[in-house]
Amino acid sequence: MLILITSLGFFIRNINRLRRNINIGNGQTEPITNKPERWRNMLRIALGQSKMVTRPIAGTLHLIVYLGFIIINIELIEILIDGIFGTHRIFSSAGVLYGFLIGSFEVFAVLVLISVIIFWIRRNIIRIKRFREVEMKGWPKLDADLILYFEILLMSLFLLMNATDVEFQNMNNGNIISSFIYPFFSDYSIDTLHVLERSFWWTHIVGILIFLNYLYYSKHLHIILAFPNTFYGSISKIGRLNNMKSVTNEVNIMMGKAVESENSNDVKFGASDVTDLSWLQLLNAYSCTECGRCTSVCPANITGKKLSPRKIMMDTRDRIEEVGKNIDKHGEFISDDKKLLGDYISREELWACTSCNACVEECPISIDPLSIIMDMRRNLVMEESSAPNELNNMMNNIENNGAPWPYNQQDRLNWNE
Amino acid sequence: MMNNLKIKTIEEFLNEGISPEILFWVGCAGSFDDRAKKITKAFVKILNSANISFGVLGKDESCTGDPAKRAGNEFLFQMQAMTNIEVLNSFDIKTIVTTCPHCFNTLKNEYPDLGGNYKVYHHTQFINKLLEEGRFSIEGGSYKGKKITYHDPCFLGRANNEYNAPRNLIKKIDAELAELKRCKSKALCCGAGGAQMFKESEKGKTEINLERAEEIKKNTSKIVATGCPFCNTMLTDGAKSFEADKQVEVLDIAELIVRAKDL
């Protein structure tokens, strides 16, 4: 009971911290319109996993683990009630239905175990390219493996817990898998088995509660955030890049369509740090599972440039965490002479992007790395005037003669000569 | 006029008191780039052959602002956009057709917020519309049975979800459509987007257009079709190094139709 309350307390603290950190983003978002379409997107993309299955192997394995997670968690209700009220398998009186449920949990536990082991092999033995890019060294690699070990442990404990439960085995109702494990323990006395069952039971539930609190520190947070992320994800054509309202105001003033207001001077254009990004972009960063599908389709990355859309998201999350810890320490953000742009993400990465939207299209949970790249380019150009020279020439041409090349606008019809 | 294309500016139309059915937005590449000018002419041949009343802006046309926007210069983009919108609205333009997916995307998706609301078509969509309405026909022709590879421009495909219009036209000329391994929503960029056309690329192990060209080479068709003047340039350059017997010709869909029909 105490463990439960403590871990839930920690979980709520983490959720609050997450909420606070996401809200340090001051950047503008588009208005959240068309709720019905957004609900449909969430149901289709997050709940229905529609974009995961575009890669059949990873998609199917993920589907099994995802279904297993949801279905086996029904058993958690019984485990929690048993734990709190000191009962034992309180729902077992449900008879055939109970047997059916537990039976399917056991089958799923085995399927999840197999899938997770294949995931581990893909990461550690086959070493698929997207899992061994530069940004996947150190903690991200460890994090990915830890999640797999956690899942192997929890599934094994669940099966062992059932297998050593003599009462449950004697019921012979739903022990489809565990009845095969039970014989391995046949030499043990009833008392030993009881002790074993209790310790498996306890390790299992404590493990789950630890895993719950591990989420905040891990890419595994996607199991929660994929839902809001697909809900709030853009619903317009992905080719549409937002028009900055702050710039519209300025341009209207310049064109004599509006008058200058007093607070128009302190507007910052584009993003140089996480505080300049929008809450949605920060939510994107926390939702990222580092699967690397974006990076594996990025034309810049494929051809060996430094840009990796996944790294953009990981850097953003790391920097939010850094700013968050700074706020925790000082009560407010005290400058640490660091910025997302420069200290985490280099100009070379930003200028390598072709805005082709392959990363946006590919993300299974509607993350938009391109919007962050564009906001940082905006900062480089409009605040720092530091575009590559060739781009400055191109922009000068547009400004002076209405084309990216130095041709005269008066000659626009000469193509027919 | 040196050739027999019928071209009029919107201004000329309005002076005659007529408003044409569509505005043909030629775009910077279509106006100034020697290769893209041929695409412009091909599309005009199609419009002429279908007797479509269309106008161009001529010296009143200016960059949509797309390369500036994607380079990060939102100021310049919005200046261009608002100036263009003033021109378009002063001519009371309702429908725009363009041969450039970048112009298409910007006019269609980014101008409405700023007061520019038009019906915008990519030329492959407009030609399909003419076919559906029975105002233009394509039957067979010189490409019958030939293998044609199609490269999806990012700003037509992924950006605007238009994969069918160009493919349908390739089928109409009775050619055999040879898909690339990375096609439709998974298509690989040619390397020109996001203002890359105007700068050297960052350091890497190869160029994006070369990577795409290698993929094209595996398809063993002699013709690569696309619907974007920038893709056209990038792929033509990318395929330059092909061995003599592997040479390919990169053509716009409009050019394919003109050749198929011998317009």
Side-chain angles (χ1 to χ4, degrees), chain B residues 15-63:
Chain B
N15 288 340
E16 294 167 20
I18 310 166
S19 40
E21 182 181 340
I22 59 162
L23 165 72
F24 171 28
W25 183 276
V26 182
C28 299
S31 304
F32 297 122
D33 179 85
D34 284 339
R35 177 66 190 88
K37 284 183 201 172
K38 293 180 185 161
I39 302 171
T40 308
K41 285 181 199 166
F43 182 54
V44 169
K45 276 185 190 165
I46 293 170
L47 292 174
N48 282 167
S49 138
N51 270 321
I52 307 300
S53 120
F54 73 95
V56 293
L57 285 174
K59 61 180 174 44
D60 290 323
E61 193 184 281
S62 185
C63 175

Side-chain angles (χ1 to χ4, degrees), chain B residues 64-193:
Chain B
T64 59
D66 161 79
K69 186 177 179 84
R70 278 160 179 84
N73 196 336
E74 181 76 6
F75 266 110
L76 182 53
F77 162 70
Q78 291 201 14
M79 290 290 286
Q80 287 297 117
M82 288 193 203
T83 315
N84 285 329
I85 289 168
E86 273 186 5
V87 172
L88 292 166
N89 290 351
S90 74
F91 287 135
D92 201 21
I93 301 297
K94 299 274 189 292
T95 308
I96 304 177
V97 182
T98 176
T99 46
C100 173
H102 295 262
C103 298
F104 167 71
N105 178 64
T106 302
L107 292 166
K108 185 182 162 75
N109 298 320
E110 287 156 5
Y111 275 31
D113 272 1
L114 302 169
N117 292 287
Y118 320 102
K119 200 142 184 46
V120 187
Y121 294 92
H122 184 250
H123 66 307
T124 57
Q125 295 174 324
F126 190 71
I127 297 169
N128 268 292
K129 183 173 178 282
L130 295 180
L131 292 175
E132 277 163 30
E133 292 167 358
R135 300 162 75 190
F136 184 65
S137 67
I138 311 171
E139 271 135 38
S142 52
Y143 288 106
K144 198 172 165 63
K146 284 199 178 138
K147 208 166 147 185
I148 296 180
T149 298
Y150 177 68
H151 163 85
D152 286 279
C154 302
F155 280 79
L156 182 63
R158 262 190 302 275
N160 287 288
N161 223 9
E162 183 56 88
Y163 304 109
N164 291 333
R167 284 180 170 78
N168 189 43
L169 296 176
I170 292 176
K171 281 180 197 137
K172 286 279 174 198
I173 57 171
D174 276 349
E176 185 201 329
L177 175 64
E179 292 287 7
L180 289 160
K181 191 161 169 263
R182 288 174 281 195
C183 67
K184 298 183 183 170
S185 67
K186 305 238 174 223
L188 185 78
C189 175
C190 70

Side-chain angles (χ1 to χ4, degrees), chain A residues 45 57 81 87 96 99 105 121 127 142 167 173 224 307 380:
Chain A
I45 303 170
I57 300 172
I81 293 177
T87 50
V96 184
F105 299 157
I121 292 171
R127 300 186 73 233
L142 180 65
E167 218 176 297
N173 183 17
I224 300 171
L307 176 64
L380 286 176

Side-chain angles (χ1 to χ4, degrees), chain A residues 264-279:
Chain A
S264 60
N265 285 331
D266 49 358
V267 185
K268 180 174 172 183
F269 298 109
S272 63
D273 209 348
V274 286
T275 42
D276 305 323
L277 294 171
S278 73
W279 62 265

